[in-house]
Amino acid sequence: MFYPEKRDGFSRTGKFEVEGRTVQTPAILEVGEIPEWDFGLAPTSLKFISEELYSRLRPINEEVEILTSLHLLSPRQLVQVFEDLSKEGVSPKPLYAASSALPSNVSLLIYLGADLVDNVLAIAKAYSGIYFLGEVEVEISKLRRLPCNCIHCRNRVVDEVENLLETTAKHNTEMLRMEVEKCRRLILNEELRNYVEGKVKLNPEFTAALRLSDSLRNHSTFPRFRKSRCNFSALESSSRFEVRYFFERALECYKPFSDTVLLLPCTARKPYLTSRTHRALRSKVKVNVNEIIISSPLVVPREFELLYPAVNYDTPVTGHWSEEEVSFVAGWLKRFIEKGGFRKVVAHVTGGYRKVVERVEDEVEAEVVYTAEKDVLSDESIERLKQEIESKGKVDLYRRILEHMLSYQFGITWSGKVAGRYPELELLEGKKRLARVDRIYGMLDIYEKIAAYLLEKNIYTVEIGDFEVKGTIFAGGVLRADEKIRPNDVVVFHNSRIFGVGLAAMSGKEMAGSEKGIAINVKRKFSF
Ligand SMILES: [Zn+2]
């Protein structure tokens, strides 16, 4: 039996009960302890030569889905086999990538959806004289001493090891096990993507597979909000699901109020409003216009700065912007300026940020003025900025931020009183709390009144059976769920007696369709 637990994109952790023992997945199965499953008569690659033949010769098992020798597939084929298995949603069986895993590719296999791997290749490599140093493979004949401290290698001189190949096989297995364990930890922390983006750089084929996965696969099980920091260190970072979703959703929900938009550079500290630069600027200039913050790869209208990933990311800052960065960011900036219908763009930016604005200057109808020279906080720069944007009137920025968050997250509008100290904002009605900023996930948490409203409108709702609700709701207890729900979404569950707010642990489709695993982690409940 397989009980999925924590999801992070295509990957997940879980418990797999097999032949009387329980393994925590993703897991490595060792040769000798692999159950007598049907491995079929042909490797997965046959699928791309003859679908018909493969369907006759492929492995068929009740408790596990087996794919074999995936390291022999092209990047496109690799992505394809995982996509085919998850087409109908998430696979209820664990996916076992047999004879496929090496320390260099196992994180990619797990990212793509493998729950189980084995040490077949690690052993085969050992018997062909290859010793793993992490993901680096070295010839054992070139070593004088075994450079590892595991129980198999510790303090041993190569020439004196009697059963050298067997020892190497055991060591290689440990190296692979360590890598699988890393991935398990990273999934629990929702950080696997950061790691895989770095890891795929070891091999252009792995990089190609990640890129193809981003562009070809269905990402309906990916979360919109995450508790981990987004490290935008690679070219692939800008094609992450959360980046694409953020842009599209923010563009959809963006409701500017002024004719002028002020463009500002991003800051290392997030949210931007808490940074020294943005605070200093706002203390000198009264900002009563819309603002858009330029970063790489993000472009963030001020109203969305508390949402994930804008609220929690890091990007390498060198002052140099590559051509790809400039054109990617400029493309989205242009769309936000057009959506806002702004008549004037005041660009208070320098260096690479300015390059981005110059790229869109001729393509937008708005008049573009630059107000900063060298330092955005210098007296001259501030004076010019004042001349361009200062006016009377006052904008309730925090209210706008909360309204945009409600629209982005639930597609609803609500008015209330704003309280709290930025960024810990709350929306109140009288003394009753309606919603509160959850900085960890970069979203809003909601309370009774908004939960009741969502229930009435049937938005992000989950109908459950009439049982007593404790800390978690299992998929088996779910009767119906909104198909829009993704893991980490704030949802409203209900039965005939109570309703409440919780955090989705799986997608709505999976909650409704599967029998096992945690569906919702309960935050609070109310009676009707
Ligand atoms: Zn070792």
Side-chain angles (χ1 to χ4, degrees), residues 249-294:
R249 186 68 183 151
L251 201 63
E252 219 168 69
C253 301
Y254 191 33
K255 287 213 174 75
F257 64 95
S258 62
D259 284 346
T260 300
V261 62
L262 168 61
L263 306 183
L264 292 172
C266 65
T267 57
R269 196 183 161 115
K270 317 285 181 312
Y272 310 122
L273 266 184
T274 61
S275 72
R276 195 188 62 84
T277 314
H278 283 213
R279 275 190 303 160
L281 189 132
R282 296 175 72 90
S283 73
K284 292 175 182 175
V285 186
K286 223 165 129 194
V287 180
N288 287 327
V289 296
N290 278 108
E291 299 161 87
I292 296 179
I293 292 92
I294 300 174

Side-chain angles (χ1 to χ4, degrees), residues 511-522:
M511 281 180 199
S514 66
E515 288 301 312
K516 291 181 307 248
I518 296 169
I520 299 171
N521 287 303
V522 175

Side-chain angles (χ1 to χ4, degrees), residues 402-403 405-407 409-416 426-429 432-436 444-461 490-492 499-501 524 526:
L402 289 176
E403 283 172 358
M405 289 179 86
L406 277 171
S407 165
Q409 192 172 337
F410 301 109
I412 62 168
T413 51
W414 202 287
S415 51
E426 289 182 338
L427 194 63
L428 306 177
E429 194 173 79
K432 250 192 156 176
R433 192 189 254 172
L434 297 170
R436 175 187 71 79
L444 285 177
D445 191 7
I446 53 165
Y447 292 80
E448 187 169 358
K449 197 138 192 195
I450 291 186
Y453 180 73
L454 291 177
L455 190 56
E456 187 191 314
K457 300 281 173 195
N458 209 9
I459 303 170
Y460 287 97
T461 53
V490 170
V491 298
V492 180
F499 68 107
V501 177
R524 55 192 72 91
F526 317 99

Side-chain angles (χ1 to χ4, degrees), residues 131 148-150 152-153 171 175:
Y131 182 93
C148 165
N149 254 336
C150 79
H152 311 295
C153 307
H171 158 84
M175 287 282 127

Side-chain angles (χ1 to χ4, degrees), residues 6 8 44 64 115 130 165 181 220 262 288 330 334 455 492:
K6 171 82 187 169
D8 190 19
T44 305
V64 64
D115 299 295
I130 298 294
L165 298 182
E181 180 58 23
S220 63
L262 168 61
N288 287 327
K334 181 176 170 239
L455 190 56
V492 180

Side-chain angles (χ1 to χ4, degrees), residues 229-346:
R229 170 166 301 182
C230 247
N231 288 338
F232 294 129
S233 306
L235 194 59
E236 292 72 32
S237 305
S238 57
S239 55
R240 286 184 187 205
F241 167 76
E242 52 260 56
V243 174
R244 287 180 281 147
Y245 182 87
F246 176 81
F247 278 132
E248 268 150 37
R249 186 68 183 151
L251 201 63
E252 219 168 69
C253 301
Y254 191 33
K255 287 213 174 75
F257 64 95
S258 62
D259 284 346
T260 300
V261 62
L262 168 61
L263 306 183
L264 292 172
C266 65
T267 57
R269 196 183 161 115
K270 317 285 181 312
Y272 310 122
L273 266 184
T274 61
S275 72
R276 195 188 62 84
T277 314
H278 283 213
R279 275 190 303 160
L281 189 132
R282 296 175 72 90
S283 73
K284 292 175 182 175
V285 186
K286 223 165 129 194
V287 180
N288 287 327
V289 296
N290 278 108
E291 299 161 87
I292 296 179
I293 292 92
I294 300 174
S295 185
S296 177
L298 296 182
V299 175
V300 184
R302 179 73 82 194
E303 288 83 349
F304 300 105
E305 77 166 44
L306 294 183
L307 285 159
Y308 180 83
V311 74
N312 195 6
Y313 73 93
D314 232 330
T315 192
V317 179
T318 60
H320 171 77
W321 287 55
S322 71
E323 171 53 34
E324 286 89 351
E325 279 178 291
V326 171
S327 70
F328 181 86
V329 174
W332 284 105
L333 177 62
K334 181 176 170 239
R335 294 180 69 180
F336 279 112
I337 292 174
E338 282 170 349
K339 168 85 198 245
F342 299 113
R343 277 191 272 169
K344 189 159 118 187
V345 175
V346 178

